[in-house]
Amino acid sequence: MIKLFHIFMLVLHFMHHSSSDDSVKSDCVVSPPPCTKSKYRSYDGTCNNLKKPLLGSSNTPYRRLLPANYGDGISSPPLSKSGQPLPLARYISTTVYPDIPLKDPIWTLNTMQWGQIITHDLALLKTTGSDTCCANDNSTKDEKCWPITIPPLDIMSLVSNTKCMSFLRTDTDRDGKCVEGNQPAEQINSVNHFLDLSIVYGISDESHKQLRENKGGRLIVEQRNDQDWPPHDPTNPTCLGKEKKEACYLAGDTRVNQNTQLTLLQVILLREHNRIADVLFKLNPHWDDETIFQEARKILIAQHQHISYYEMLHIFLGKKELVKEKIIYETEGFVNDYDENVDPAVLNEHSHAAFRYFHSLIAGHLKLVLESRLSFSKVRLSSWLNRPSILEEENNFDDLSRGLATQSEYLADAFHTSEITQFLFRGNNTFGKDLKATDIQRNRDHGLARYNDYREYCGLKRAKTFWDLLGSMSPLVVFKLSKIYKNVDDIDLSVGGSLENHAKPAMVGTTFLCIIKKQFYRTRVGDRFWFENGGETGFTLDQLKEIRKSSISRLLCDNSHNVKLMQPRGFEKISLINLPTSCNNLPAVNLTLWKDPVP
């Protein structure tokens, strides 16, 4: 029923001018899907909100904090205040975001990588068209293609005569003919908007079925070298032309093969589901496959939510700020503050500007680390994009797992590794794509309001001249912006927000902190199935206390092949107060509390 509904449903864009009440207009649909009472979530996010069954479901629009800023007021890319095109995204990338590898002294690469797990769980752009839409003359007939122009004196142009990079505009509700007239276009999120591990379980009833073993509540795996791996996916575009021996995995998310450490964590989560399912099967042999599967899924989602909010998020935003804004609570009991009037949908500004700031944390080379914590080799990031087979070579999975918890992430700053600004997805070519230029172009593609608008929205004084930014940015940064943009009101959100001085102890400036806080509040409070809520959809209090023992360190220990030691706080670097210890010494979730008292 849900499948048929989603095939024929039409989606209405939502105008959101204020974050105070998160009010939105109704969906453009014939009728909402029928909702049956269940203690388990749907895969597509429908019926999480029983009053508004489509709220937060897949294939619905992102929301906005401020109205769109399209050039024509409807869908065309924005223009400068003078009516001229904005500065080239690639020029801004190479001018403002150089490769200066400054390492974070406290936090590990685990932190950055778990951030991508959260990002992929919450959002996926929907694009249609050819990804090779960039011709040498920088022209195309594809209306979805909006190439990123390479300046004449750019190193890509000088060395390889590259004129542009492919860029496809995101699909919107106007493409689906849901809105007419002059209503501004709203981009579509292909996955549901909840933090529910859709990257593991799929985004629909149909997609999740191909992941199920249909026995013992397990997900399908393939065994090689005494280890479990995701099944091969011959239909994934990144797998086309690859032999089965060249690993290309099937998971709940099509981006599973994108980069080595992302894939590693996806494998960890897959194995953790099956580990939990195996224990539940032994505890409750009378349970059928579906019950075991759903209970294991519910537990793993809860672990994911706990690790994300209580172990990782404070690193980005600061713990006091999270408690103050009621994003997390300091309690041993239930939280129970679900609000059906809070829209959980992902904010366009968060997903396509603010949270992308953390691309600066990416390291260009990944360390392989022994049990002694000595690094003996490293892997170049761009050499193994969409090539996860490296994980199955020798002891690489364990060595890279230790590397995640040992290697420093890069500092949250304006500097980006060349692996993502010059060589991203390069394949056999000299150069690849530029992630920072792509972020700026995507900001414009989505018609996000100007940085100055969000600056004012988030409580900072609106800048009338470039020099009014000095309280928020360094003099050098302000000088660069004044040379790139003609008017202070032209500055893109993804640029201005990324250059603000940090609002310590947060790792972001005031504007991005404001946006990200709003997102993670609505993600939690707008989720009826949030793990800290009691009642039929939740856990018993004793079970909840066990869930709160979850940690990234224990997750790596339990699902690697031969990792025996791990520091208690896996997002934090090893130190005298965070020394590696036996995995058996780390707190673990006691699953015996899920034993059915009445077989």
Side-chain angles (χ1 to χ4, degrees), residues 457-477:
Y457 175 85
C458 290
L460 293 174
K461 185 179 180 180
R462 187 177 187 88
K464 295 181 179 179
T465 71
F466 285 100
W467 305 111
D468 290 336
L469 301 174
L470 280 176
S472 304
M473 302 175 188
S474 72
L476 177 59
V477 164

Side-chain angles (χ1 to χ4, degrees), residues 374-388:
L374 291 176
S375 175
F376 65 94
S377 186
K378 58 185 178 181
V379 171
R380 185 178 178 183
L381 180 66
S382 65
S383 295
W384 294 95
L385 297 173
N386 289 323
R387 294 180 61 200

Side-chain angles (χ1 to χ4, degrees), residues 136-170:
N136 282 332
D137 62 357
N138 203 11
S139 63
T140 178
K141 294 181 179 179
D142 188 344
E143 62 179 13
K144 282 291 182 181
C145 184
W146 183 34
I148 297 173
T149 302
I150 308 296
L153 298 181
D154 190 287
I155 187 173
M156 289 189 181
S157 180
L158 295 173
V159 174
S160 61
N161 198 34
T162 304
K163 304 298 182 186
C164 59
M165 300 178 197
S166 293
F167 181 93
L168 287 172
R169 299 199 66 189
T170 307

